[in-house]
Amino acid sequence: MMMPKKAFIVIVLFCLALAGCQQTEKKSEQKKEEKAVEANAKESKEKEEASYSLKGEEIEKEPAGELFQKYIGDKEFADNEEYSKAAGEAVAEYMKEIKNMDTKDWDAEQWAKSIILSLRTDVSGTIQPLKDFEVKYNELKLPDGRLLQDVSEEELNEEADEVNVAVLIDASGSMKADVPGGNKMALAKSSIKQFSESLPDNVNVSLSVFGHKGTGSDKDKKLSCESIETVYSLKPYDQKEFSNALDQFNASGWTPLASAIQQAEKELKAASGDKTKTLIYVVSDGVETCDGDPVQAAKNAKKSMTDLQINIIGFDVDNEADRQLKEVASAGGGEYTSVKNKQELDDEITKNWKESLGKTTWRFWLAGNINNINWASVGMSNELRGLENNHITSRNREHDRMKAALNELLSSDLVDLDTKSAISDILFERTNAIKDYADGIKSEKHNEIFDTAESLKEKVDHVTKDLDL
């Protein structure tokens, strides 16, 4: 029985399609094999082209070895047990790979290359921190926040172009009391007047009083706490006007210190430029009694004007007031002093207040902080040594695992004693190159630390030479 013509044609087409599919699969498999061969060839070529250097600056740029990355990595600085296990696995893998390679014609350099490319560390990981180490005497900050290191002698010796001073006087009821030498309010007015009379021409001064209205009774609290008045506006000192301003008030009510600081900040900021030195001086004999937060007010003022200083005299204060006023001055970047009588008040206002206006304040600060230069030098030197120790650990461990691999090669009869010695010389030369390179970087940084310290000491000596200390 003959097959119909149509069925025969279908069978032929099916066979042709099946043959085509088989041919396509065969070609696909061939392409996969060709790609695999190409990939292996490329990898072999890359390994063959990969190299190593015996110069420190070039070694630093080399990537970590393949087996280092696979088995060690972050364990490089682990304790001995954890690191040794990881290093042992890396060396074992190296031996496994090398035994499957044709190495019978390798010389010492080829052997050294195979060890280094497989087991070397990322040298830049411990060199770069040494390079990046910044020699900064961050603890040596001038009262205005600048680093001593960044300020020249000329800047320390020059006066500010303009100085704006706000004097705040507490006129709460407790200022009516007497102390040795006279009445507190009268003494405060007298000392402030003497201080203002001696101000240099470049200084503008204002006088504000707080708590001078009402009484100390609860019914007058609101009135008194809202009584903050600038009786002499910010301008050069005028003897007659300033004296008249001092006569306008007497001790009377409560103590709105926080509000007084806020108002002084507002007035100073409106009248001061970027290069204006600003100071607030306060004479007070008690704590805030108007529910304000004078410490926060001082912090805000200092944040608003970085060159601001708030200096406070506590006049015959108790322990609580002494503590609070000290905190306020510290928050405002200034000084606090407690006085008990007329002589101490005069000395503090006429000496320390005046000194804070000009270059002498830098000089006293410098003289008191010179020992910090030595401590900072030692601290940075120790920090640098810590970075160096990390590098030494990395360098020594790299050399030890390479030596371990070399000993395994000898034990497995893959190299003889002469070849081992030649390979060892290459590995030792590499380690020495890294050491010399790192030592040079560390030495430069070490010298920079102590050279900078000496230059700071010389600056301090020159700036403080005329102080009677």
Side-chain angles (χ1 to χ4, degrees):
M1 179 179 174
M2 291 185 65
M3 182 183 298
K5 183 177 181 182
K6 185 175 182 180
F8 177 77
I9 292 173
V10 170
I11 292 172
V12 171
L13 289 175
F14 174 78
C15 291
L16 289 174
L18 181 62
C21 289
Q22 290 175 340
Q23 187 67 25
T24 299
E25 288 178 2
K26 185 175 181 180
K27 287 182 179 180
S28 178
E29 290 297 326
Q30 286 177 343
K31 285 184 179 179
K32 287 181 181 179
E33 291 177 4
E34 288 173 1
K35 286 183 178 179
V37 171
E38 288 176 3
N40 290 333
K42 183 178 180 182
E43 184 178 352
S44 299
K45 184 178 181 182
E46 287 176 351
K47 286 184 176 180
E48 187 176 333
E49 290 177 352
S51 187
Y52 68 93
S53 176
L54 298 178
K55 295 180 180 179
E57 60 272 19
E58 294 177 358
I59 294 173
E60 182 190 8
K61 299 175 184 177
E62 295 174 349
E66 292 180 4
L67 298 181
F68 173 88
Q69 295 181 56
K70 182 177 180 180
Y71 290 100
I72 301 173
D74 294 339
K75 299 174 185 175
E76 182 176 26
F77 297 105
D79 58 47
N80 287 331
E81 182 178 355
E82 185 177 0
Y83 166 74
S84 296
K85 180 182 178 182
E89 291 172 347
V91 171
E93 181 70 14
Y94 170 75
M95 292 302 300
K96 181 180 178 181
E97 290 180 358
I98 211 72
K99 287 177 180 178
N100 292 323
M101 298 173 66
D102 182 9
T103 60
K104 63 179 183 296
D105 295 327
W106 279 16
D107 59 14
E109 186 174 339
Q110 288 173 296
W111 279 112
K113 177 181 177 180
S114 74
I115 294 172
I116 292 170
L117 293 185
S118 295
L119 300 173
R120 67 188 175 193
T121 187
D122 175 15
V123 174
S124 67
T126 56
I127 290 286
Q128 196 61 44
L130 287 171
K131 285 183 168 183
D132 292 341
F133 185 81
E134 188 175 24
V135 177
K136 276 285 184 184
Y137 285 76
N138 290 316
E139 299 303 317
L140 293 169
K141 290 184 178 180
L142 294 171
D144 65 355
R146 292 179 296 169
L147 290 180
L148 172 61
Q149 184 175 346
D150 296 335
V151 182
S152 68
E153 281 186 36
E154 291 74 17
E155 289 178 276
L156 290 171
N157 277 314
E158 68 184 11
E159 301 284 358
D161 293 337
E162 184 179 56
V163 180
N164 288 337
V165 171
V167 178
L168 311 182
I169 186 167
D170 178 0
S172 58
S174 55
M175 286 290 285
K176 296 176 183 178
D178 292 333
V179 294
N183 173 266
K184 284 201 286 187
M185 177 55 76
L187 293 176
K189 287 182 177 182
S190 175
S191 295
I192 288 171
K193 182 179 179 182
Q194 291 179 40
F195 164 72
S196 302
E197 287 174 347
S198 64
L199 292 175
D201 293 338
N202 68 326
V203 177
N204 299 311
V205 63
S206 68
L207 175 65
S208 297
V209 59
F210 56 93
H212 59 298
K213 294 182 180 180
T215 66
S217 66
D218 289 342
K219 67 180 180 64
D220 285 339
K221 181 176 180 179
K222 186 175 187 298
L223 170 64
S224 186
C225 288
E226 292 176 353
S227 298
I228 304 156
E229 185 179 357
T230 301
V231 293
Y232 185 90
S233 59
L234 189 67
K235 59 187 173 183
Y237 175 75
D238 180 276
Q239 184 178 14
K240 184 177 179 180
E241 285 188 46
F242 200 86
S243 296
N244 290 337
L246 285 169
D247 291 337
Q248 292 180 26
F249 57 88
N250 289 299
S252 181
W254 296 65
T255 310
L257 177 57
S259 296
I261 291 173
Q262 291 169 347
Q263 180 168 309
E265 174 210 341
K266 183 178 180 180
E267 292 176 355
L268 286 172
K269 189 168 184 178
S272 302
D274 293 338
K275 295 183 179 180
T276 306
K277 183 170 183 153
T278 54
L279 301 104
I280 295 176
Y281 294 109
V282 183
V283 177
S284 179
D285 72 339
V287 297
E288 165 79 31
T289 59
C290 291
D291 306 319
D293 186 345
V295 175
Q296 189 60 50
K299 287 180 180 178
N300 293 341
K302 181 65 176 173
K303 185 177 180 180
S304 176
M305 295 185 291
T306 56
D307 195 34
L308 172 70
Q309 290 179 34
I310 300 178
N311 300 297
I312 299 179
I313 294 176
F315 194 6
D316 190 39
V317 296
D318 59 22
N319 290 337
E320 183 183 2
D322 187 74
R323 177 193 57 77
Q324 185 184 79
L325 294 175
K326 187 181 297 182
E327 289 182 8
V328 175
S330 176
E335 300 292 332
Y336 169 74
T337 307
S338 177
V339 301
K340 294 293 185 182
N341 53 52
K342 177 182 185 302
Q343 186 61 51
E344 290 179 355
L345 179 64
D346 286 344
D347 288 346
E348 179 63 23
I349 287 181
T350 56
K351 181 182 178 183
N352 293 342
W353 276 20
K354 284 175 64 177
E355 284 174 355
S356 66
L357 291 171
K359 62 187 179 184
T360 307
T361 188
W362 304 124
R363 295 181 173 183
F364 274 103
W365 181 90
L366 291 169
N369 283 274
I370 187 169
N371 287 333
N372 289 340
I373 297 175
N374 296 326
W375 285 112
S377 299
V378 171
M380 276 189 283
S381 181
N382 289 337
E383 188 178 348
L384 183 65
R385 189 176 295 112
L387 296 176
E388 180 189 29
N389 287 340
N390 286 343
H391 170 74
I392 292 172
T393 296
S394 173
R395 185 178 73 219
N396 288 343
R397 283 183 165 180
E398 177 194 82
H399 188 68
D400 288 345
R401 65 177 171 268
M402 289 183 178
K403 284 200 317 183
L406 184 53
N407 289 333
E408 288 292 321
L409 291 175
L410 181 66
S411 299
S412 301
D413 294 325
L414 292 174
V415 299
D416 55 30
L417 280 172
D418 289 339
T419 304
K420 179 197 173 188
S421 178
I423 298 169
S424 182
D425 288 344
I426 295 173
L427 299 181
F428 186 74
E429 185 178 352
R430 170 188 167 84
T431 300
N432 266 354
I434 299 171
K435 178 183 182 300
D436 291 344
Y437 183 59
D439 285 351
I441 295 170
K442 185 257 182 181
S443 180
E444 287 181 7
K445 291 292 183 179
H446 185 269
N447 290 339
E448 185 182 352
I449 290 171
F450 289 96
D451 287 347
T452 303
E454 286 305 311
S455 69
L456 291 177
K457 289 177 185 177
E458 289 179 9
K459 183 188 295 187
V460 170
D461 288 340
H462 293 160
V463 173
T464 61
K465 62 185 177 181
D466 61 343
L467 285 178
D468 182 18
L469 299 174

